[in-house]
Amino acid sequence: MGNPVWYVTTPIYYPSEDLHVGHAYTTVAADALARFHRLLGEPVWFVTGTDEHGQKIAKSAEKAGMSPRQLVDQIVGRIQDPLWARLGISYDDFIRTTEPRHYQVVQSIFAQLRDKGDVYKGVYEGWYCLPDESFWTESKLVDGKCPDCGRPVERVQQESYFFRMSRYQEDMIEYIETHPDFIQPISRKNEMLAFLRAGLEDLSISRTGLKWGIPVPDDPDHVIYVWFDALSNYLTAAGYLSNPEQFSRTWPPDVQLVGKEIVRFHTIIWPIMLMALGLPLPRHVFGHGWVLLGDTKMSKSRGNVVDPLTLIEKYGVDAVRYYLLKEVPFGSDGNYTEDALILRINVDLANDLGNLLSRTTAMIERFAQGVVPELDVSQDNGVLAAEVARVYRTVESAMKNLQISDALQAINELVRVANKYIEDQQPWALARQPELLPRLNAVLYNLAEVCRVLSVLLTPFLVETPQKIRQQLGLDMPVQAYREAVFGGFPKDIRVRRGQPLFPRIELTAAEPEWITLDDFQKIDLRVGTIRHAEVVSGADRLLKLTVFDGERERTIVSGIRATYQPEDLIDKQVVLVANLKPVKLRGILSEGMLLAGSAEGVLSIVAPISPLAEGARVK
Ligand code: MSP
């Protein structure tokens, strides 16, 4: 028997429509975890796939004027390639619930449970939520709607097979209580315990009148409920029935990632199915949050989706992966905006990471004839080595605890410390003093070494950048193992090869302005004035009360500039004021106008004539 396999799964996606950034999020997260464990040298089995049966798919196909099979084949094709191919998803198996191997597993599970009396035939009367494909009793509805998604439900009454979940209620509660990290994060665990304690009813697991599904063995008028079918995919993909050797090494899953709205299926129905089959339960089910767009969940039915392929085309695969993994803390919801994506590219990737590499290779070319100097410990203050050691441990433990954004955060800190190291050490100054050459060499070694370490640390997250970093460093071997991120391993006699910036900055093109005419502009009465008096406004730490002479009279202007200016800085200073702005009361003071001031990157400055002008002079 070989080594146990680290088994990670994503939910299997409904191929009723093309997938969006929300689906990409889960899949990229699972991919990063899988890549990390591979880097640790563990055999990994990473499975994703598609959930192709059920009424939702059947209805979408009908709408599209296709057979369900045609629809799913078409969409699944696009999910595999280009979507997952372009996003660099390194799955080991892609399971489709319409495959014969899965069909056999589902029928066998059904038959086993029926044989042992955990599945029985009865009559189902209740409510069905079509978009979620979930059954509900009257008492669980919220305002007559689906308690999971808030959408309308339909009344169903039919003969049905039931799964005797009630029998396992106590076992399930006990399991969750004795396995505190089975459901993560903890808030979701408490929610599930409350749900279980409220009482578990038997679950309807077949439907009549629906053709698009797996038939119940020996009773083909019934098709098996799509969630029963879907959850079993994790067994099929591990080789259950088809490959006992693989199955024994792979089972149970180590981590199952699911969106928060399907945690209930995965932490109640699914483990009870496994209990009933006498199989071990997954080690961890992690319920992650949603990618929101404008405060609501990104979803096709809400019509607010973003196509990951468009983003990849515009910004590159690694920028998209980085953004998804970094920006939405794993476990909480996070808002998607393109501006935030651009900000992460410009700040974290272009400015911090990209500059570190380009400064490092440029300095090695300039000060060391392009060859990375050797490590000379006697010349080294150990700052970067210590930081690398810290980040190595932080990333490892964050990834093992499924805190992907924390791992990236730690990597960012290393980049920032390295950039600061350049500022502190000032290699260009060392280079001017020949006696400091050994120190200069140590600094250059350290910087090259941090860049090399970063290429290792980033390997689980980014698919192109680590290799690009290595090319520029003159390292040809791709990263093989996480322990290569230990400080001090830069090979000897390596010549750097400067290259293109890793991440070109994205210039934010301002939206097309709304033009105004000269007439519009001339409506604004701008005049030069002089500040005669200034005082703080009590109780308001951003405001100053100014007395400004405008050539005719003194007027009071309340201005939000106190963070930058003290009252005494302003006396007798000339300013430009908007003289015909409608007066308003601010903090009980009538403010008659406004000063012009500009601000950028947190710095504010009053706008003034560069040589004095008579008060009252018109500005135009
Ligand atoms: N087919 C079921 C899962 C069966 S698993 C045995 C299903 N499919 S789904 O396509 O609707 O959703 C699949 C996964 O994508 C879910 O985990 C869901 O949470 C996730 N996401 C869908 N939209 C999402 C966001 N906007 N944000 C984050 N994840 C999102 O449910």
Side-chain angles (χ1 to χ4, degrees):
M1 215 172 84
N3 290 332
V5 169
W6 194 81
Y7 182 21
V8 59
T9 66
T10 72
I12 48 173
Y13 303 101
Y14 291 128
S16 48
E17 284 154 313
D18 284 329
L19 303 187
H20 54 70
V21 162
H23 305 112
Y25 171 65
T26 321
T27 318
V28 169
D31 183 67
L33 294 172
R35 285 172 186 264
F36 177 76
H37 282 268
R38 287 192 199 110
L39 217 52
L40 290 182
E42 297 170 25
V44 166
W45 195 242
F46 165 28
V47 176
T48 188
T50 39
D51 184 359
E52 305 187 10
H53 291 126
Q55 206 177 351
K56 186 181 163 112
I57 301 282
K59 285 209 169 161
S60 295
E62 204 181 296
K63 242 174 52 201
M66 294 186 212
S67 70
R69 167 70 69 181
Q70 282 170 323
L71 176 80
V72 297
D73 281 351
Q74 194 182 79
I75 294 184
V76 171
R78 291 203 292 261
I79 293 175
Q80 293 176 325
D81 192 0
L83 184 60
W84 292 161
R86 296 274 286 282
L87 209 49
I89 305 302
S90 61
Y91 56 78
D92 299 293
D93 193 0
F94 188 101
I95 171 117
R96 301 184 55 177
T97 55
T98 48
E99 290 173 79
R101 59 172 174 159
H102 181 63
Y103 203 97
Q104 281 161 15
V105 166
V106 174
Q107 287 206 328
S108 154
I109 292 174
F110 194 98
Q112 286 179 59
L113 298 183
R114 190 171 52 189
D115 290 349
K116 77 184 273 238
D118 277 340
V119 165
Y120 63 92
K121 205 172 191 175
V123 174
Y124 177 75
E125 261 195 89
W127 300 92
Y128 193 68
C129 170
L130 178 60
D132 282 358
E133 303 254 25
S134 56
F135 290 104
W136 298 102
T137 53
E138 184 87 36
S139 64
K140 288 261 162 46
L141 300 182
V142 174
D143 298 332
K145 305 243 171 73
C146 171
D148 271 353
C149 71
R151 287 176 279 208
V153 285
E154 60 187 61
R155 182 92 198 147
V156 199
Q157 182 182 29
Q158 55 182 223
E159 193 186 65
S160 170
Y161 283 90
F162 285 86
F163 177 33
R164 214 182 284 283
M165 301 235 296
S166 51
R167 186 185 265 178
Y168 294 91
Q169 174 174 344
E170 290 312 317
D171 290 346
M172 199 58 233
I173 292 175
E174 194 197 315
Y175 186 86
I176 295 175
E177 283 176 338
T178 52
H179 295 78
D181 54 3
F182 168 56
I183 306 178
Q184 297 181 37
I186 193 124
S187 54
R188 313 223 197 273
K189 165 184 152 185
N190 297 336
E191 206 181 304
M192 289 307 118
L193 274 174
F195 189 95
L196 275 167
R197 289 191 180 116
L200 210 49
E201 281 151 23
D202 292 347
L203 177 73
S204 166
I205 54 161
S206 75
R207 305 199 64 184
T208 50
L210 174 70
K211 290 273 158 298
W212 184 238
I214 301 179
V216 167
D218 310 319
D219 198 353
D221 287 345
H222 290 257
V223 299
I224 295 172
Y225 172 42
V226 64
W227 269 100
F228 192 89
D229 164 350
L231 289 163
S232 312
N233 92 83
Y234 305 124
L235 285 164
T236 310
Y240 183 63
L241 302 186
S242 66
N243 187 341
E245 196 273 336
Q246 183 207 0
F247 186 70
S248 69
R249 294 204 297 135
T250 311
W251 200 260
D254 291 84
V255 173
Q256 301 208 273
L257 296 184
V258 301
K260 62 182 181 184
E261 82 285 15
I262 58 172
V263 167
R264 187 175 58 87
F265 293 95
H266 284 84
T267 59
I268 297 180
I269 302 177
W270 168 231
I272 292 181
M273 283 167 67
L274 293 172
M275 277 182 180
L277 290 166
L279 289 169
L281 270 45
R283 297 203 168 89
H284 308 291
V285 174
F286 188 97
H288 64 72
W290 289 336
V291 177
L292 310 175
L293 192 92
D295 296 332
T296 41
K297 181 185 176 203
M298 186 180 288
S299 82
K300 201 82 180 193
S301 62
R302 293 178 178 86
N304 62 345
V305 297
V306 176
D307 179 1
L309 289 169
T310 314
L311 295 184
I312 294 173
E313 220 148 84
K314 276 171 88 173
Y315 303 112
V317 56
D318 280 350
V320 176
R321 287 177 63 107
Y322 180 84
Y323 172 77
L324 290 175
L325 295 171
K326 172 83 198 318
E327 197 75 350
V328 184
F330 212 54
S332 333
D333 291 347
N335 225 304
Y336 166 82
T337 68
E338 195 156 345
D339 282 355
L341 167 59
I342 292 174
L343 196 70
R344 292 275 69 85
I345 296 174
N346 284 349
V347 176
D348 298 5
L349 299 176
N351 208 41
D352 293 351
L353 178 66
N355 270 349
L356 175 65
L357 180 69
S358 66
R359 292 163 92 189
T360 299
T361 51
M363 289 190 293
I364 290 172
E365 282 198 341
R366 235 176 103 200
F367 305 135
Q369 297 75 49
V371 178
V372 179
E374 282 183 31
L375 174 60
D376 177 355
V377 202
S378 70
Q379 294 295 321
D380 182 20
N381 66 7
V383 168
L384 289 188
E387 181 66 6
V388 164
R390 184 187 74 80
V391 171
Y392 183 100
R393 289 190 302 270
T394 310
V395 169
E396 182 169 7
S397 87
M399 289 304 275
K400 287 183 171 165
N401 290 312
L402 312 177
Q403 296 304 323
I404 302 176
S405 43
D406 289 356
L408 277 172
Q409 183 62 35
I411 294 174
N412 270 349
E413 283 158 20
L414 175 59
V415 173
R416 275 199 287 270
V417 168
N419 275 317
K420 182 163 179 300
Y421 178 82
I422 299 181
E423 301 309 319
D424 292 346
Q425 299 295 323
Q426 307 218 348
W428 47 91
L430 298 176
R432 285 197 292 269
Q433 294 159 272
E435 72 280 11
L436 295 180
L437 183 67
R439 263 220 23 233
L440 173 63
N441 281 343
V443 169
L444 296 178
Y445 175 88
N446 275 331
L447 291 171
E449 176 58 357
V450 165
C451 291
R452 186 195 66 80
V453 165
L454 284 165
S455 76
V456 183
L457 294 175
L458 286 168
T459 290
F461 309 96
L462 307 184
V463 294
E464 294 175 346
T465 307
Q467 201 46 31
K468 285 188 188 164
I469 296 177
R470 294 174 81 80
Q471 259 156 22
Q472 297 204 21
L473 290 175
L475 302 170
D476 294 320
M477 283 279 283
V479 176
Q480 314 270 0
Y482 187 66
R483 60 175 182 281
E484 290 170 34
V486 169
F487 191 89
F490 206 98
K492 288 188 183 138
D493 301 327
I494 297 290
R495 181 169 287 280
V496 298
R497 299 180 211 126
R498 291 193 68 192
Q500 297 295 313
L502 285 180
F503 292 92
R505 276 182 74 85
I506 313 286
E507 293 309 327
L508 271 176
T509 43
E512 178 75 4
E514 250 187 70
W515 300 110
I516 60 166
T517 62
L518 194 59
D519 282 353
D520 293 329
F521 175 70
Q522 281 172 345
K523 284 189 200 149
I524 307 173
D525 185 3
L526 294 172
R527 288 181 190 272
V528 173
T530 299
I531 299 176
R532 292 230 169 121
H533 180 77
E535 65 186 59
V536 300
V537 176
S538 63
D541 33 323
R542 295 178 43 235
L543 300 181
L544 288 180
K545 178 181 167 193
L546 310 171
T547 308
V548 182
F549 180 62
D550 68 4
E552 286 174 13
R553 65 185 178 94
E554 285 188 345
R555 52 168 92 204
T556 300
I557 293 180
V558 177
S559 182
I561 53 175
R562 186 168 158 196
T564 310
Y565 296 100
Q566 298 299 320
E568 57 275 18
D569 301 339
L570 296 173
I571 308 303
D572 294 334
K573 290 276 169 0
Q574 287 212 315
V575 292
V576 177
L577 57 115
V578 185
N580 61 343
L581 192 70
K582 192 172 171 194
V584 287
K585 260 202 173 161
L586 295 169
R587 295 272 170 166
I589 306 165
L590 190 68
S591 179
E592 310 166 273
M594 186 178 104
L595 297 191
L596 295 194
S599 71
E601 290 166 1
V603 178
L604 180 135
S605 173
I606 290 176
V607 173
I610 61 173
S611 49
L613 278 171
E615 284 97 0
R618 184 87 204 256
V619 176
K620 45 194 180 188

